[in-house]
Amino acid sequence: MAKPGRPGARRAASKKGATKGTGGLGRKALEGRGPTPKAEDRAWHPAGKRKAAAERYAAAGGKGKPGQKPSGNRAPRAKAADDTETVTGRNSVLEAMRTKIPATAFYIAQRVEMDDRVKEMLAIARHRDIPVMEVTRQELDRMAGFDGVHQGVALKVPPYEYEHPQDVLEAVLNRNETPLFVALDGITDPRNLGAIIRSTAAFGGHAVILPQRRSASVNSAAWKTSAGAAARIPVAIAPNLTNTLKEFKKQGVFVLGLDGGGDVQLPQLELADRPVVIVVGSEGKGLSRLVTENCDQIVSIPISAATESLNAGIATSVALYQVATMRQAAE
């Protein structure tokens, strides 16, 4: 039973009557900010960043629509320039051309100072139909890199072709020569690599062996430092350096590790006239544990107490010179 209301009370009407409007001023707030922009139109969104990158790529001469990912049918390498190395410096370029490396272009600075080396380079380029490009020194500076010295010439060459360690060893044995190799354990500076290649060539070494990982490669810096020796001395890649050394030992090659705390000093080395591979470690860590365990001898170079250690390239040069001298004396 409903409770009776207070006498004389009147309930207000539930329907609101007409009121004064705002003239549409609140309509925009009621409508909100409009539809949400697409993901690719939001600069902070990953899709937006991909779109911006694609537009920059297209503006730089690339193919494809903005925002479209590169087609899977494209070649694995987009730029032919990525497949080449730039050799700079007159000695390096001349040695590379003399050894008939299949160069793709020879660059020479405008108004370059002509000497016998430059004349020979031009003659070889004409004889082998290598395109000769006259460029500004600023362009050569760019090609040589920040610390490169081009001396007015540069040569575009294909990627370096590495040998296999076993093939190199067999080739030396087939020539009835006593193997002399240098193996690098942790050398990551290409300039050190170039210097070691140069020393190996100078003192009668047959090849330089690099591990497949954690090692410098024969790039333009190594070419330059080697002064062209990279065109004459094979460089081999060992998939596993420790296993390669073990295989060499089975074939009569003695493994000599260079280290400051060696068990024999270089002047007292008795294995110089045998087939040997000299293993050089990095300046910081030296020889790795596994490589050390597989060395027949650890050899040290006697130096003054005032000097803590030798650069890897210098140490290799000293060791190679000592071995070459001992071999000559034994003949």
Side-chain angles (χ1 to χ4, degrees):
M1 181 175 178
K3 186 177 180 180
R6 182 169 53 87
R10 179 179 296 179
R11 180 176 295 179
S14 59
K15 186 175 181 180
K16 191 174 182 180
T19 58
K20 185 178 180 181
T22 61
L25 295 179
R27 186 179 302 167
K28 185 174 181 181
L30 294 174
E31 291 177 354
R33 298 182 179 179
T36 302
K38 295 180 179 180
E40 63 181 15
D41 292 331
R42 286 175 266 172
W44 51 266
H45 196 279
K49 294 179 181 179
R50 286 196 296 269
K51 178 182 178 182
E55 289 174 346
R56 290 196 300 271
Y57 172 75
K63 296 181 180 180
K65 297 178 181 180
Q68 180 181 4
K69 294 182 178 180
S71 171
N73 297 326
R74 291 175 59 189
R77 292 169 182 168
K79 296 182 181 179
D82 294 340
D83 294 339
T84 62
E85 282 288 346
T86 304
V87 181
T88 59
R90 299 192 180 190
N91 288 337
S92 301
V93 170
L94 183 55
E95 285 293 335
M97 298 179 79
R98 282 175 175 172
T99 51
K100 299 182 179 180
I101 288 178
T104 57
F106 173 56
Y107 297 86
I108 185 169
Q110 297 172 350
R111 297 184 296 277
V112 67
E113 181 182 353
M114 300 291 290
D115 62 6
D116 292 339
R117 292 174 295 176
V118 176
K119 293 177 182 177
E120 185 176 353
M121 292 176 211
L122 290 170
I124 294 175
R126 286 192 295 267
H127 179 71
R128 293 176 49 199
D129 293 326
I130 300 174
V132 178
M133 315 290 289
E134 188 176 22
V135 296
T136 64
R137 286 193 173 272
Q138 289 77 9
E139 178 64 14
L140 282 175
D141 290 340
R142 186 192 64 77
M143 294 171 63
F146 176 73
D147 57 351
V149 180
H150 51 74
Q151 297 176 306
V153 294
L155 188 71
K156 284 285 186 182
V157 300
Y160 188 86
E161 294 186 6
Y162 297 92
E163 303 283 349
H164 191 279
Q166 194 61 43
D167 294 339
V168 174
L169 176 59
E170 291 177 1
V172 176
L173 294 176
N174 290 338
R175 297 196 300 265
N176 294 320
E177 298 177 1
T178 305
L180 175 56
F181 300 130
V182 175
L184 307 186
D185 181 22
I187 300 296
T188 57
D189 188 338
R191 290 168 294 188
N192 268 342
L193 170 59
I196 291 171
I197 293 173
R198 186 175 185 177
S199 297
T200 303
F203 297 114
H206 294 104
V208 175
I209 301 172
L210 308 177
Q212 189 169 9
R213 295 181 298 173
R214 294 184 293 274
S215 173
S217 60
V218 183
N219 59 14
S220 56
W223 268 103
K224 172 65 179 176
T225 314
S226 76
R232 294 179 279 113
I233 291 295
V235 178
I237 290 289
N240 185 294
L241 183 59
T242 302
N243 291 341
T244 297
L245 296 177
K246 290 179 180 179
E247 290 299 320
F248 274 28
K249 291 174 69 172
K250 291 178 182 179
Q251 299 177 72
V253 179
F254 291 91
V255 180
L256 308 178
L258 283 185
D259 189 84
D263 46 35
V264 59
Q265 289 197 343
L266 185 61
Q268 283 75 50
L269 180 64
E270 297 180 353
L271 299 174
D273 59 340
R274 312 287 181 87
V276 297
V277 51
I278 301 172
V279 188
V280 186
S282 64
E283 292 90 341
K285 298 181 180 180
L287 298 173
S288 63
R289 179 182 59 83
L290 290 176
V291 168
T292 302
E293 291 175 354
N294 284 278
C295 290
D296 294 299
Q297 281 187 338
I298 303 298
V299 183
S300 62
I301 300 174
I303 58 176
S304 169
T307 304
E308 182 179 353
S309 63
L310 294 176
N311 171 275
I314 295 175
T316 305
S317 299
V318 173
L320 286 169
Y321 171 77
Q322 185 70 24
V323 171
T325 301
M326 289 180 170
R327 287 188 174 188
Q328 290 176 358
E331 291 178 355

